Amino acid sequence: MISVLIPTYNYTIFPLVQKVHQLLAAEKIDFEIICLDDASTNPSSIDENEEINALEHASYQVLKVNIGRSRIRNLLADTAKFDWLLFLDADVMPIKDDFIKNYLKFISNDHDIIYGGIKYVPNKPDAAQRLRWHYGNLREALATEKRSRKPYVSFLTLNFLIRKSVFKKVKFNEDIPNLRHEDTLFSYQLQQAEVPILHINNPVYHLGIESSKEFLKKSLDSLKAALYFKEHKLIDPDYIKILAFHKKLKKAKLDRAAASLPKSTLRHIERNLLGPKPSLRLFDLYRLYHLIQLDRNA
């Protein structure tokens, strides 16, 4: 009935698999849990994850070479034997014990893809991780009603159920650079294919909160990916908010002014973003500045 698919890389997923396995078994349905490790370099996480193979209907395999976020998800789907695919990221954890039950309620001929949502633990992390937590709470952990207003833009690929026949038609793009935003492109492809997304209140906690410094680096990678999508006509620039705003600035010939921030101002912004009280307005300005620089140097 359900194939649970979990890609991982240098992350211990045994607690997640153990929890999901328990919830699936309680529902007395046919299931499998397939975990693929994208050639991890951390022996301790591999050793812990090997325990997954002792669970009934669960498997863990380490790939010999790293194939990237898009390709490993497609490989997981190709390996699955059931009609419904539940994709979970390695660094999530179901919040409530009715997590599987809630998804089962919506499996029907009326729905092809169901997104459960995301939350962050309420306690603030260390100051060095505050930016990722703050961003996630305000920009990603949206209420079901708010997500439903913009069902594609609000869709994240860390916790969703999809019919296998639909996934075969709209897969993750394996030809893009392994940067970021593969989930954005996937949701755009779903929109273009007119596959409706049902948003429900069935969130997981996002536990893998990286440092603010690492998050800034990943954010710049996301900008490179977004520009790549635009340049290769893979996505409508208006679909990604920062690209849409950049387009308006260029049309009004204001992009040069936005790119002329003094170095002292940039250092001030970085200090704020790496500190205990990061401003998302400054974060947006910082990203816009770097997007303009990347676009001008392309």
Side-chain angles (χ1 to χ4, degrees):
M1 188 176 189
I2 292 181
S3 296
V4 180
L5 310 177
I6 306 174
T8 187
Y9 177 74
N10 285 342
Y11 200 89
T12 302
I13 58 171
F14 180 68
L16 166 63
V17 175
Q18 192 175 39
K19 180 65 175 179
V20 173
H21 187 277
Q22 173 193 342
L23 299 181
L24 286 162
E27 297 303 318
K28 294 180 171 53
I29 59 171
D30 292 331
F31 71 89
E32 64 179 350
I33 303 176
I34 307 173
C35 309
L36 288 182
D37 189 318
D38 206 4
S40 283
T41 57
N42 184 349
S44 63
S45 68
I46 293 175
D47 288 344
E48 292 182 62
N49 290 337
E50 288 284 359
E51 297 182 48
I52 292 168
N53 290 316
L55 297 174
E56 193 174 15
H57 309 305
S59 64
Y60 168 76
Q61 178 186 354
V62 183
L63 302 181
K64 293 182 179 179
V65 295
N66 185 281
I67 61 176
R69 284 181 296 275
S70 292
R71 193 173 167 196
I72 197 170
R73 286 173 170 82
N74 291 342
L75 181 58
L76 280 163
D78 289 340
T79 307
K81 67 181 181 181
F82 290 118
D83 293 335
W84 285 93
L85 313 177
L86 175 57
F87 280 91
L88 296 174
D89 273 8
D91 57 355
V92 305
M93 183 63 70
I95 298 174
K96 295 183 178 181
D97 287 345
D98 58 1
F99 176 70
I100 295 297
K101 186 185 295 291
N102 282 339
Y103 268 130
L104 293 177
K105 290 177 185 176
F106 293 94
I107 288 182
S108 71
N109 294 330
D110 298 329
H111 307 300
D112 289 323
I113 181 167
I114 307 159
Y115 174 49
I118 179 179
K119 283 189 177 181
Y120 288 79
V121 294
N123 297 330
K124 289 183 180 180
D126 294 339
Q129 297 174 302
R130 203 67 57 79
L131 177 61
R132 182 67 185 93
W133 181 84
H134 190 45
Y135 177 88
N137 267 303
L138 292 182
R139 300 281 175 87
E140 296 175 341
L142 305 177
T144 308
E145 183 181 346
K146 190 169 185 179
R147 284 189 273 121
S148 298
R149 292 180 201 143
K150 296 183 177 180
Y152 298 97
V153 176
S154 301
F155 173 77
L156 298 174
T157 58
L158 44 69
N159 170 30
F160 74 99
L161 186 69
I162 185 169
R163 196 186 298 273
K164 187 174 183 179
S165 59
V166 173
F167 189 83
K168 285 181 177 180
K169 298 175 184 176
V170 186
K171 290 190 172 186
F172 286 91
N173 190 316
E174 297 184 8
D175 298 325
I176 60 176
N178 192 36
L179 293 167
R180 297 283 150 185
H181 263 318
E182 72 278 351
D183 54 348
T184 303
L185 184 57
F186 181 68
S187 69
Y188 178 73
Q189 292 170 332
L190 288 171
Q191 184 188 64
Q192 295 302 104
E194 298 183 342
V195 178
I197 299 176
L198 176 68
H199 286 256
I200 66 172
N201 181 29
N202 197 30
V204 292
Y205 276 137
H206 183 204
L207 302 177
I209 302 178
E210 63 267 77
S211 70
S212 299
K213 188 174 182 179
E214 180 65 19
F215 183 57
L216 278 184
K217 178 182 178 298
K218 289 183 177 181
S219 296
L220 298 187
D221 285 342
S222 293
L223 296 177
K224 294 175 186 176
L227 283 175
Y228 180 91
F229 296 164
K230 185 188 77 169
E231 290 164 5
H232 289 79
K233 302 187 187 313
L234 295 173
I235 203 166
D236 184 339
D238 289 335
Y239 190 75
I240 300 178
K241 191 174 182 179
I242 194 168
L243 288 184
F245 188 67
H246 179 219
K247 186 173 79 171
K248 290 179 181 178
L249 282 180
K250 287 183 75 172
K251 189 174 182 180
K253 297 183 178 180
L254 295 174
D255 56 315
R256 181 170 296 183
S260 60
L261 290 175
K263 290 185 178 180
S264 59
T265 302
L266 278 175
R267 286 195 295 268
H268 170 75
I269 291 174
E270 286 180 350
R271 281 196 299 271
N272 171 270
L273 297 179
L274 298 176
K277 295 182 179 180
S279 164
L280 291 189
R281 288 187 178 181
L282 290 180
F283 178 61
D284 290 340
L285 178 60
Y286 183 83
R287 292 171 65 241
L288 179 62
Y289 168 84
H290 283 283
L291 176 67
I292 294 171
Q293 297 295 335
L294 288 168
D295 186 57
R296 293 174 68 182
N297 294 329

